[in-house]
Amino acid sequence: MEKVFGTSYCVAMVTKMHGGAQKVVYKIDCTNGFSCVLYVWDITMNYFQQEIAGQNTNVQSYGSEQFEINNLYLLEHSIRTPALYDMNKDRNPYDFDYALVEYVTGQAAEAYFNHSDSRVKDTIFQRLGDMITGMHAGESDIYGKPDQTERSSGQCHLIQLQNAIIQLSYASEYIDVIRRNQGKLLDMLYKLESRVERRSRYGYIHGELGPNHVLVTDQLEPCLIDIEGAGFYDIEHEHSFMEFRFGDFYRYLKNDNLDVNRKLFYQYHHHLSLISAGLKLVQRGYPDQQTAKGISDYHTRRALQFIES
């Protein structure tokens, strides 16, 4: 802290915050009243380290480089996200990367779902909708990170197809109802994918935009966090995720010009992927076991609805 900010910034307290599954987050309070946040990307503390080691899709949303690239892009395009004060990737004396970022005073957007004042809710979610529309309007003919210059081969939705196959196979090993219906679930995946037409333009998406990844400041301004998975991709991927994560509040965020077949494919992919993700969090000792199990159970039910209808 003293090296980055000066000798008057003496640490008074360090508090571990409730972070995600892929990095450890601390709040640092100084004796002079200043506060900031410390992000630590320690692979040994990552609940998906096996997948990262195997180079599957989880690697796309992990690491300091992903954070740094997307932080720069968002701020350059006037999309609110915590400012990056300092990034340390020297791996000396520690064998992990870490960063000091802005501490944003506020609450997660989900805290406002049951707010008593409808005007407050309207203000927050209309502003979030405008932010998302503006973010998605950023376009590229290459999918991937903002600094990517080499064109990727194939269609981006095929990455999710392969991921869904892998996650369905994993879930079938541990969940009886998934194992019994694995063939039907796989057939549905291929059926939905077959309806997706080719595309060559992509919007900039967050990648995992739930209400827990939106901080609302004291001025009721939305601020995006956990941005490592952001990049240029099909915006239907984002909308299909937001629709079940925001529930009734998705009406503020919706886009009426989406590819319906592409959105349905991604919705189904999310369900298959999150069955496995919740299951892995349970198996790997994630602190909030009830939430982790709830994720797996909810998406099991939703996936099965596709083959029952």
Side-chain angles (χ1 to χ4, degrees):
M1 290 292 291
E2 291 182 4
K3 181 179 178 181
V4 174
F5 297 109
T7 55
S8 63
Y9 290 80
C10 299
V11 176
M13 182 181 298
V14 178
T15 309
K16 187 174 182 180
M17 302 175 71
H18 179 68
Q22 300 217 53
K23 66 176 176 285
V24 189
V25 182
Y26 303 91
K27 183 187 177 193
I28 300 177
D29 294 306
C30 294
T31 55
N32 64 0
F34 176 79
S35 297
C36 68
V37 174
L38 171 67
Y39 287 165
V40 176
W41 289 276
D42 184 349
I43 191 67
T44 66
M45 302 295 288
N46 190 301
Y47 287 94
F48 295 101
Q49 57 186 281
Q50 293 95 320
E51 287 72 23
I52 293 169
Q55 294 291 302
N56 80 355
T57 55
N58 291 80
V59 75
Q60 299 173 8
S61 59
Y62 173 72
S64 60
E65 282 193 20
Q66 316 285 23
F67 174 83
E68 193 172 21
I69 292 166
N70 287 308
N71 182 267
L72 179 63
Y73 178 90
L74 290 168
L75 293 176
E76 283 183 342
H77 290 79
S78 302
I79 300 166
R80 181 71 190 275
T81 193
L84 173 60
Y85 294 139
D86 183 71
M87 175 72 74
N88 191 305
K89 296 186 288 188
D90 294 343
R91 301 289 177 97
N92 180 27
Y94 311 107
D95 60 355
F96 51 77
D97 297 344
Y98 57 95
L100 295 173
V101 302
E102 176 188 7
Y103 175 70
V104 177
T105 304
Q107 301 182 83
E110 57 195 353
Y112 288 90
F113 282 176
N114 297 313
H115 197 279
S116 59
D117 190 336
S118 61
R119 292 171 299 180
V120 169
K121 290 189 285 190
D122 285 343
T123 297
I124 291 169
F125 292 102
Q126 284 172 2
R127 287 176 175 175
L128 179 59
D130 291 342
M131 172 190 277
I132 292 168
T133 299
M135 180 173 69
H136 287 174
E139 284 196 331
S140 174
D141 59 357
I142 300 174
Y143 66 83
K145 296 302 173 187
D147 65 339
Q148 187 165 323
T149 56
E150 185 177 341
R151 189 176 301 277
S152 303
S153 60
Q155 295 282 289
C156 65
H157 78 278
L158 296 178
I159 298 173
Q160 312 310 131
L161 174 68
Q162 293 304 313
N163 182 58
I165 293 169
I166 292 169
Q167 304 313 326
L168 176 59
S169 176
Y170 183 89
S172 68
E173 295 180 32
Y174 301 97
I175 303 175
D176 288 342
V177 68
I178 297 297
R179 181 166 54 253
R180 292 197 303 271
N181 290 280
Q182 185 177 4
K184 293 180 181 178
L185 292 166
L186 191 59
D187 288 344
M188 178 58 69
L189 179 66
Y190 283 120
K191 179 180 179 181
L192 295 174
E193 190 280 326
S194 69
R195 299 173 181 170
V196 178
E197 298 179 354
R198 292 187 64 83
R199 172 180 284 172
S200 59
R201 298 293 293 175
Y202 308 96
Y204 185 85
I205 70 170
H206 176 279
E208 195 181 359
L209 192 49
N212 58 321
H213 290 159
V214 179
L215 286 180
V216 179
T217 71
D218 293 342
Q219 292 74 42
L220 304 184
E221 295 287 348
C223 176
L224 302 184
I225 61 171
D226 288 346
I227 58 173
E228 288 91 326
F232 290 101
Y233 218 74
D234 289 332
I235 65 172
E236 288 86 358
H237 181 281
E238 190 110 285
H239 277 278
S240 59
F241 187 79
M242 292 192 299
E243 189 166 14
F244 67 77
R245 290 292 282 113
F246 282 90
D248 290 341
F249 291 90
Y250 177 68
R251 67 184 185 274
Y252 294 96
L253 318 177
K254 67 184 298 187
N255 181 331
D256 294 325
N257 298 311
L258 300 176
D259 179 334
V260 176
N261 289 330
R262 196 175 295 263
K263 184 182 175 187
L264 191 62
F265 166 77
Y266 280 125
Q267 180 186 359
Y268 186 63
H269 159 267
H270 289 314
H271 294 321
L272 295 182
S273 179
L274 288 166
I275 293 169
S276 177
L279 179 61
K280 289 173 184 177
L281 290 175
V282 171
Q283 294 170 335
R284 297 170 186 177
Y286 187 70
D288 190 345
Q289 288 280 291
Q290 183 176 355
T291 295
K293 187 176 186 304
I295 290 171
S296 186
D297 291 347
Y298 170 79
H299 291 285
T300 295
R301 293 193 298 271
R302 291 296 301 270
L304 291 172
Q305 287 173 2
F306 271 78
I307 63 173
E308 293 168 355
S309 60

